[in-house]
Amino acid sequence: MSTDILTHTEAGVMTITFNRPERKNSITSAMYGALADALAAAEADATVRVVLLQGQESIFSAGNDIGDFLNKPPAGMDSPVFRFLRGIAAFPKPLVAAVCGPAVGVGTTLLFHCDLVYAGDNAAFSMPFVNLGLCPEAASSLLVPQMLGYHRAAEALLLGEPFMAEAAMEVGLVNRVVPPTEANGIAQAIARKLAAKPLSSLVETKRLMKKGQQALVIQQMAEEGASFGRMLQEPAAKEAFGAFMQKRKPDFSQV
Ligand code: COA
């Protein structure tokens, strides 16, 4: 059995750990499947009251595993990546994240679906979809402008350059910036604090906060997914991914 995604439940908190640091916690299709299954199990299990997502002190996630992604591109809305994205967007119980080091692509966009985010001061968030010849996913084209305001969202999504923990806290993506050695522990303590509260009140409060745009989020994800799938086959993405594999700079002058 793969250990790339670890789950552990204690004190009402299911902790889900990206555990592939040698590949910078990049996410394969099998890992998306494991993440989607873990969220479904957490939703169904009455003893799980809160879910915490974490990586290690030096890395949260480098986003999609590029090789795996090219070999097994997502095939439709039932593919593991979309099961995970719908799962995280619709997850009814509180979701907490602890983020240290790079959080690239979906490593950042998944955070827009979390309720509380604690970041190590080394956290670097980036959504470089344009630099990969792609477009945003996980409803980030809707949620990023809402949270950051249009111009900062355009900077984050069109330029795709990393922004650090303090900047993420300023725009509201992060609740607190802490030393990387403490991030997972602080997030775990907050998750346990939440888990001690009445679950029915947590779930209802989250539902009421999110209900205004739940349908819109799912619709945006589907539209992004269709564009993303098409763009993955086009010359710009082919050049970007080819360049990544060959460890060279991409040349977009022809696309
Ligand atoms: N997919 C597959 N492999 C990846 C990966 C990814 N998304 N991100 C990193 N890796 C691999 C690297 O190729 C490298 O493999 P190697 O040891 O065989 O050369 C290994 O993980 C370590 O990565 P490296 O780039 O040396 O680490 P770093 O600390 O210098 O940089 C990142 C870390 C995350 C900033 C950098 O790896 C990166 O930008 N990755 C690509 C992220 C990306 O574009 N994701 C979007 C996918 S849609």
Side-chain angles (χ1 to χ4, degrees):
M1 209 179 103
S2 168
T3 55
D4 291 345
I5 297 293
L6 299 176
T7 62
H8 170 76
T9 300
E10 194 177 333
V13 177
M14 178 189 279
T15 303
I16 303 179
T17 305
F18 293 114
N19 185 43
R20 201 181 176 225
E22 71 286 0
R23 305 301 294 174
K24 300 291 164 185
N25 290 340
S26 53
I27 311 173
T28 60
S29 166
M31 288 165 72
Y32 279 120
L35 289 165
D37 291 347
L39 288 178
E43 182 174 346
D45 183 345
T47 69
V48 175
R49 301 161 77 89
V50 177
V51 166
L52 167 63
L53 270 167
Q54 65 180 22
Q56 292 77 32
E57 274 170 42
S58 62
I59 181 73
F60 183 63
S61 172
N64 290 313
D65 179 307
I66 292 176
D68 183 78
F69 197 59
L70 293 178
N71 290 334
K72 287 179 249 165
M77 294 310 284
D78 289 327
S79 57
V81 59
F82 288 115
R83 271 204 308 124
F84 167 67
L85 292 180
R86 278 197 307 273
I88 200 166
F91 192 68
K93 301 175 185 177
L95 264 171
V96 181
V99 184
C100 296
V104 188
V106 72
T108 288
T109 58
L110 70 80
L111 301 172
F112 287 83
H113 300 281
C114 292
D115 302 296
L116 296 169
V117 180
Y118 297 90
D121 57 20
N122 63 345
F125 304 88
S126 61
M127 294 175 281
F129 304 111
V130 164
N131 304 339
L132 294 167
L134 296 170
C135 69
E137 36 74 317
S140 56
S141 55
L142 174 72
L143 299 174
V144 178
Q146 270 180 6
M147 184 180 283
L148 275 62
Y150 184 81
H151 289 94
R152 281 190 295 211
E155 193 170 48
L157 287 170
L158 296 179
L159 280 174
E161 285 170 5
F163 53 100
M164 298 303 289
E166 289 293 341
M169 190 166 75
E170 239 169 68
V171 296
L173 177 60
V174 159
N175 291 87
R176 202 193 306 168
V177 179
V178 300
T181 48
E182 293 172 24
N184 287 1
I186 287 171
Q188 182 70 233
I190 299 283
R192 288 185 184 198
K193 192 170 174 181
L194 279 172
K197 297 184 187 295
L199 181 59
S200 53
S201 292
L202 292 171
V203 166
E204 190 58 8
T205 302
K206 178 167 174 171
R207 186 188 73 77
L208 288 164
M209 286 199 289
K210 295 240 170 189
K211 77 167 185 140
Q213 62 170 16
Q214 192 66 15
L216 204 54
V217 164
I218 300 296
Q219 188 190 324
Q220 190 86 358
M221 262 182 196
E223 185 171 341
E224 289 171 346
S227 299
F228 196 99
R230 169 178 53 76
M231 294 178 86
L232 202 51
Q233 307 305 326
E234 291 177 355
K238 285 196 185 342
E239 168 58 16
F241 288 116
F244 178 83
M245 297 313 241
Q246 293 157 22
K247 297 190 189 289
R248 63 170 171 82
K249 260 178 116 63
D251 172 7
F252 295 126
S253 59
Q254 304 305 313
V255 292

